[in-house]
Amino acid sequence: MTEEEQEEYVSNSITRDKKIRFESKIGKQIYAFGRYKKLSRATIPIISDGYYMLLIFDAKATNFDEVIMKKVLPLTEKERHRFIVLGKAG
C-alpha cells in the first residue's frame, strides 16, 4: 500500500474499534483481531484518549493471541509511561 493508503487503513481501523458500544456489558476491549486473505491485523488500545497500536501478522499466523497476550500487552503495560510522554509531545 502507498503511504496514503496506509494512513486511511489505520484511520478506518481505529474508527471501527471506537464504535464498540457495549463496553459496560462485555468489558473493556483488550484487542480486536481481523483476518484477511493477505494479512492479519490486531488493533490494541494502548492508553486512553484514543491511542492505538496496530500489529500486522502474516496471514498464516496462528499464535497471534499468545504473542499479544504474553508479549505485546505486558511490554506495553511496562512501557506505558513512554506512550503517555510521546502522546503529550505530539
Side-chain angles (χ1 to χ4, degrees):
M1 288 193 276
T2 66
E3 187 173 332
E4 194 173 279
E5 289 171 329
Q6 289 177 32
E7 288 178 15
E8 182 179 350
Y9 176 78
V10 169
S11 178
N12 288 341
S13 298
I14 292 169
T15 299
R16 187 172 28 253
D17 283 352
K18 286 183 176 181
K19 290 183 179 180
I20 296 174
R21 299 183 306 229
F22 303 104
E23 187 174 297
S24 64
K25 295 184 181 203
I26 62 175
K28 187 173 179 163
Q29 177 181 311
I30 298 171
Y31 72 88
F33 188 82
R35 187 174 295 275
Y36 302 87
K37 285 187 178 184
K38 296 184 178 182
L39 62 86
S40 296
R41 180 203 73 230
T43 307
I44 304 167
I46 54 172
I47 58 173
S48 58
D49 300 328
Y51 289 93
Y52 291 81
M53 176 185 298
L54 267 64
L55 298 177
I56 304 297
F57 292 87
D58 182 271
K60 297 176 185 175
T62 58
N63 64 337
F64 62 87
D65 187 67
E66 180 179 351
V67 170
I68 293 168
M69 297 301 290
K70 292 184 178 178
K71 295 182 180 182
V72 174
L73 291 179
L75 181 61
T76 56
E77 186 61 35
K78 178 181 174 190
E79 301 295 331
R80 183 170 298 267
H81 65 283
R82 292 180 188 227
F83 292 112
I84 294 169
V85 170
L86 291 173
K88 288 182 180 177

